[in-house]
């Protein structure tokens, strides 16, 4: 196997429920090594990311660009590849489509976090943002967690309507809402999936709320209001996807919170400490970690059933 896979074939090797399970399995694997990722700022707010990782059998490096100026054009904001190697032989096994890996593993991490942390998985689920991550979060929460009802909010009504139509085509119930803050009162599940150029959630959530914030992954980016972040930290629980969030979680850093003191998803899973239903609302802050890409690489090289 030494194959270059396009977006469609990469997605086919990363089905939702097995991907969530593989992410969880990786957190229990003592052989996993993931150094800090290299982030190289480029002109006009763009970044180059180099993200390696390995376990006892599989090694990979993700090399991608993030170009915010491409938003709203025919060019994607994320471009690049994930190259997968066999550790024993050093042989290159696969080259996966980088944006597809990023899109699917990011949403699957949110679903894994909800599996462990969400006080109430019944739905409906609020999706703020109708881009790639909006689609991915609808699909994974339906496929892996059984959520059937969704509320879609987006700055562009047409984008929200398109995502709602996609959800309905999957047999789900989906409605477009104009005000994300107002919709939060009816939704125990929420995910903010925006370009993180402005605050999109300010309202205080339900006591049984789980919010996955995935759009902001640099100190200057933000989706969640600072007051809301502080409220969630004071009345419930804030969990980050990895220790790298300590210097990347813009929402939390701008709220003046001590991110380094917050538990990571790995801490939660390894301690087997699921949140109790009466433990208050939960904010899961996701910034991205090469370990998630390694989990996707591990699944991609498994024989397809």
């Amino acid at each position: 196997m030494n194959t270059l896979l396009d977006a469609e074939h990469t997605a086919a090797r990363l089905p939702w429920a097995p991907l969530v399970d593989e992410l969880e399995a990786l957190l229990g694997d003592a052989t996993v090594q993931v150094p800090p990722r290299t982030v190289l700022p480029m002109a006009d707010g763009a970044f180059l990311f180099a993200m390696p990782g390995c376990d006892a059998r599989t090694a990979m490096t993700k090399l991608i660009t993030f170009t915010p100026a491409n938003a709203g054009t025919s060019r994607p904001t994320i471009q690049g590849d994930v190259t997968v190697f066999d550790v024993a032989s050093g042989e290159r096994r696969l080259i996966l489509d980088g944006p597809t890996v990023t899109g699917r593993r990011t949403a699957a991490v949110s679903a894994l976090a909800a599996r462990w942390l969400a006080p109430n998985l019944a739905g409906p689920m609020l999706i703020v943002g109708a881009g790639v991550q909006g689609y991915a979060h609808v699909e994974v929460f339906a496929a892996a967690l059984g959520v059937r009802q969704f509320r879609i909010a987006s700055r562009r009504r047409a984008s929200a309507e398109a995502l709602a139509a996609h959800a309905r085509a999957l047999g789900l119930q989906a409605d477009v809402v104009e005000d994300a803050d107002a919709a939060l009162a009816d939704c125990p599940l929420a995910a903010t999936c925006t370009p993180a150029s402005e605050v999109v959630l300010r309202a205080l959530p339900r006591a049984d709320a789980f919010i996955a914030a995935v759009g902001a992954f640099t100190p200057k980016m933000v989706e969640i209001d600072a007051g809301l972040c502080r409220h969630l930290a004071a009345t419930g629980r804030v969990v980050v996807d990895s220790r790298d969030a300590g210097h990347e979680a813009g929402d939390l850093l701008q709220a003046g919170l001590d991110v380094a003191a917050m538990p990571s998803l790995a801490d939660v899973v390894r301690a087997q400490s699921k949140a109790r239903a009466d433990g208050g609302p939960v904010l899961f802050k996701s910034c991205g970690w090469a370990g998630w890409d390694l989990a996707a690489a591990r699944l991609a090289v498994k024989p397809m059933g």
Side-chain angles (χ1 to χ4, degrees):
M1 189 193 311
N2 192 349
T3 309
L4 173 63
L5 301 183
D6 61 13
E8 179 182 357
H9 289 92
T10 296
R13 288 182 177 270
L14 302 174
W16 288 120
L19 179 56
V20 175
D21 291 341
E22 191 67 42
L23 292 165
E24 185 172 300
L26 178 128
L27 295 180
D29 187 341
T31 71
V32 168
Q33 299 181 67
V34 181
R37 64 185 176 188
T38 298
V39 183
L40 179 64
M42 303 189 295
D44 301 320
F47 294 90
L48 175 68
F49 295 86
M51 303 169 64
C54 73
D55 62 17
R57 294 186 297 256
T58 303
M60 71 87 220
T61 294
K62 182 164 79 170
L63 186 64
I64 59 170
T65 55
F66 172 69
T67 311
N70 288 350
T73 74
S74 60
R75 294 184 299 274
T77 56
I78 295 176
Q79 301 174 75
D81 303 297
V82 176
T83 305
V84 187
F85 300 89
D86 177 75
V87 168
S89 68
E91 177 188 15
R92 187 180 67 193
R93 301 287 304 283
L94 289 174
I95 301 177
L96 304 170
D97 180 68
T100 302
V101 171
T102 301
R104 292 182 79 85
R105 62 78 151 153
T106 300
V109 170
S110 294
L112 176 60
R115 175 190 286 178
W116 281 90
L117 296 167
N120 181 356
L121 287 171
M125 181 174 188
L126 172 65
I127 304 290
V128 187
V132 170
Q133 278 304 319
Y135 279 75
H137 275 73
V138 167
E139 292 180 6
V140 72
F141 273 76
L145 297 178
V147 179
R148 309 303 298 172
Q149 298 181 32
F150 294 86
R151 307 285 186 268
I152 313 297
S154 175
R155 287 180 297 178
R156 294 182 61 247
R157 175 85 186 192
S159 297
E161 294 283 6
L163 177 51
H166 175 73
R168 294 184 200 116
L170 297 175
L172 308 171
Q173 179 184 327
D175 299 295
V176 173
V177 297
E178 297 293 340
D179 187 337
D181 281 325
L184 194 61
D186 297 321
C187 297
L189 298 170
T192 55
C193 309
T194 75
S197 58
E198 62 184 13
V199 170
V200 295
L201 274 187
R202 295 179 173 84
L204 299 186
R206 300 157 47 122
D208 62 348
F210 168 87
I211 301 172
V214 305
F217 51 86
T218 73
K220 294 183 178 180
M221 301 173 84
V222 64
E223 293 181 303
I224 309 297
D225 177 70
L228 175 53
C229 290
R230 290 191 289 266
H231 170 81
L232 288 160
T235 65
R237 197 174 186 190
V238 180
V239 176
V240 296
D241 70 327
S242 78
R243 293 269 65 91
D244 290 348
H247 58 274
E248 296 173 345
D251 311 88
L252 305 179
L253 294 170
Q254 292 177 47
L257 296 173
D258 184 2
V259 184
M262 294 171 177
S264 70
L265 184 55
D267 296 330
V268 171
V269 173
R270 290 167 187 164
Q272 300 287 298
S273 57
K274 288 194 176 184
R276 295 186 307 159
D278 61 352
V282 177
L283 173 62
F284 175 66
K285 179 63 204 133
S286 182
C287 294
W289 178 53
W292 311 134
D293 302 297
L294 175 60
R298 287 168 28 147
L299 179 59
V301 297
K302 290 182 177 180
M304 299 181 67

